[in-house]
Amino acid sequence: MNGSTTDSSNSGDSGRFSRRALVGSALMAAGAASAGVVAGRVSAPERVAEPATVPFHGPYQAGIETAAQSHALFLACDIARPDRGVLRELLAAWTETAVALTAGRRVPDSAGADPGFSNHTDFASGLDPARLTLTFGLGPALFDDRFGLADRRPEHLWPLPEFPGDALNPAWCDGDVLVQICADDAQVVSHAFRSLRARLPGLGRMRWTQHGFLSRPKDGGTPRNMFGHKDGTANARPGTPEFARTVRVDAASEPAWFHGGSYLVFRKIRMQTADWDMVPLAEQDRIVGRRRGDGAPLGGAGEFDPVDLDARSADGAPVIPANAHIRLVHDIPMFRRGYSYDYGTLLANAGGAPEPVAPHSHPEGTDPNHTHGGHSSLDAGLLFAAYVNDPPAQFIRAQRALAASDRRNTFIQHTGSAFFAVPPGAAPGEPIAAGLGLG
């Protein structure tokens, strides 16, 4: 990401922004890619060479429909004081920074910076943007009395309800503004994070960050989560009508500025991998409802075969158990764009406790057959990120069903939670969420 990087990918920035042209291009691309699609879902893996840059401007924000990159950082912050001008200035400064970063250009300096000081650090000099995307979301608290935006609140942008089994750490929850930073180079992600932080003083305070990773198989297939199972098989394929029905906001009940946007549900889910690894493979498959090896639904032959919830085994029992994960969420559409995380013992070493040690009949460490190996101090799992357009009918409905009876609950803990409205894309010369009319 250096000054010599060309701006050809954003050449449209200099002209008038045309949603119709961009949407038309997207539809043409979707039509060209329609081979191998069944009802809007991927039916066979494809590998397509990706350009180094992803344009920031467009009718929709990048980082949703964009093919998932290898590294992600989620940053939530709170606005420094209840002043609409401060919110406007932060969104404008972050938009300006994002435009430069995603195009591989030098980041702009803050207004009034002292001579000899610069936001440019050279940390990513010589690196290409690695498909960097920055996706912005606005939290429910922005629409309280602080900024006079109550009449512009998205219909469903209220704090998520509590779910049975939640073990939420307030330090990993909520926030006024979220930035999802994704790229195929971890150093590029870190550089983008650093550049955004440089614009925060006087405007906002960091609330929490989470870092994740994702790797795709060589054949371009579905990535796997920490339990070894494929994660995202049922996702709608970007560019299809099903994707738009799942993700894009267009309801008449939503404020006009939010049309073309989406809702983002973020959950930090700790996965107790040591306990999971002690469960026989056949039982793991029954808990999930799919075969770990190839991702096929139980009773099916391939990953993308239809899920048959009526299939019975020879003894009359359901092939997919009643409390299997995929049965509980079947036909509840969400576009999942999550990342794995593995913090090891970082939290425990800093004095925290990811999980209290369960009661024992013996003092810990005195039974040579029950040494635990320190696994209770591990913090690894899934940074669940789901894009939806009707949260009550999608995520909330799904999570209530899962919290009530999903057998995976024995092996997971929801420890962080946040919810945001993701505005539509920005036109050249305008900040993110320009339609809010911040002045």
Side-chain angles (χ1 to χ4, degrees):
M1 303 183 70
N2 52 44
S4 64
T5 303
T6 64
D7 299 339
S8 59
S9 64
N10 280 14
S11 58
D13 293 2
S14 59
R16 176 176 171 81
F17 173 67
S18 170
R19 285 177 181 266
R20 179 178 297 176
L22 284 165
V23 170
S25 297
L27 290 174
M28 289 176 64
S34 62
V37 177
V38 177
R41 289 193 170 88
V42 179
S43 61
E46 297 179 3
R47 291 187 67 85
V48 179
E50 297 285 354
T53 58
V54 178
F56 179 80
H57 296 117
Y60 312 116
Q61 288 199 62
I64 305 173
E65 195 165 348
T66 308
Q69 300 95 320
S70 300
H71 304 276
L73 186 152
F74 296 85
L75 161 66
C77 76
D78 294 326
I79 303 304
R81 56 188 184 276
D83 181 336
R84 187 187 291 190
V86 173
L87 172 60
R88 179 179 65 247
E89 187 176 347
L90 177 64
L91 293 178
W94 273 5
T95 300
E96 181 185 37
T97 301
V99 170
L101 287 168
T102 54
R105 298 198 298 263
R106 182 187 179 102
V107 296
D109 288 324
S110 302
D114 293 334
F117 291 88
S118 174
N119 291 342
H120 181 68
T121 65
D122 279 320
F123 181 49
S125 291
L127 304 178
D128 69 41
R131 298 197 305 122
L132 173 68
T133 57
L134 293 93
T135 311
F136 297 90
L138 309 177
L142 273 187
F143 297 86
D144 58 18
D145 296 334
R146 290 179 298 160
F147 304 103
L149 299 174
D151 61 337
R152 294 165 229 188
R153 180 190 293 270
E155 180 182 12
H156 302 297
L157 192 65
W158 300 92
L160 292 174
E162 294 183 6
F163 298 102
D166 277 357
L168 302 181
N169 182 338
W172 301 331
C173 295
D174 305 324
D176 286 343
V177 180
L178 175 88
V179 189
Q180 173 193 274
I181 307 170
C182 299
D184 288 323
D185 186 320
Q187 187 160 327
V188 169
V189 170
S190 181
H191 171 62
F193 173 45
R194 185 171 174 177
S195 299
L196 294 176
R197 281 172 19 223
R199 309 300 294 267
L200 269 178
L203 302 177
R205 296 180 297 272
M206 286 186 289
R207 186 181 183 100
W208 54 261
T209 61
Q210 299 290 341
H211 306 247
F213 58 88
L214 176 150
S215 294
R216 290 188 178 276
K218 292 181 179 179
D219 64 3
T222 309
R224 295 179 183 267
N225 60 33
M226 281 281 187
F227 285 166
H229 278 262
K230 296 190 175 189
D231 200 325
T233 297
N235 267 350
R237 185 187 180 98
T240 64
E242 184 187 6
F243 180 88
R245 289 193 298 269
T246 300
V247 172
R248 306 297 184 202
V249 167
D250 66 354
S253 55
E254 293 283 9
W257 73 266
F258 190 42
H259 280 215
S262 185
Y263 291 97
L264 169 61
V265 178
F266 177 89
R267 304 281 281 186
K268 178 178 180 286
I269 304 175
R270 180 172 175 264
M271 302 170 73
Q272 296 164 234
T273 54
D275 293 340
W276 179 260
D277 292 345
M278 296 179 68
V279 176
L281 175 58
E283 190 61 20
Q284 290 183 7
D285 291 352
R286 287 176 56 79
I287 291 171
V288 174
R290 290 184 179 274
R291 294 197 299 265
R292 193 179 75 187
D294 60 7
L298 298 185
E303 178 183 356
F304 300 102
D305 284 359
V307 176
D308 186 353
L309 298 180
D310 296 323
R312 299 276 171 172
S313 60
D315 62 3
V319 171
I320 298 176
N323 53 6
H325 180 79
I326 68 167
R327 179 182 287 272
L328 296 173
V329 297
H330 186 63
D331 284 340
I332 302 179
M334 294 185 285
F335 186 74
R336 298 178 52 156
R337 204 177 187 278
Y339 286 81
S340 293
Y341 77 91
D342 191 343
Y343 301 151
T345 61
L346 185 64
L347 178 61
N349 291 347
E355 175 190 17
V357 177
H360 297 83
S361 59
H362 60 274
E364 186 175 1
T366 61
D367 183 347
N369 297 315
H370 194 190
T371 60
H372 305 281
H375 290 134
S376 63
S377 66
L378 293 174
D379 187 15
L382 175 68
L383 303 179
F384 174 93
Y387 287 90
V388 298
N389 59 12
D390 187 353
Q394 294 171 289
F395 173 78
I396 293 174
R397 175 187 166 202
Q399 187 55 32
R400 282 178 171 153
L402 294 172
S405 59
D406 186 2
R407 282 191 62 199
R408 293 194 320 162
N409 292 340
T410 304
F411 306 95
I412 65 174
Q413 293 174 315
H414 289 245
T415 59
S417 179
F419 184 40
F420 301 92
V422 177
E430 293 184 350
I432 282 292
L436 265 179
L438 296 176

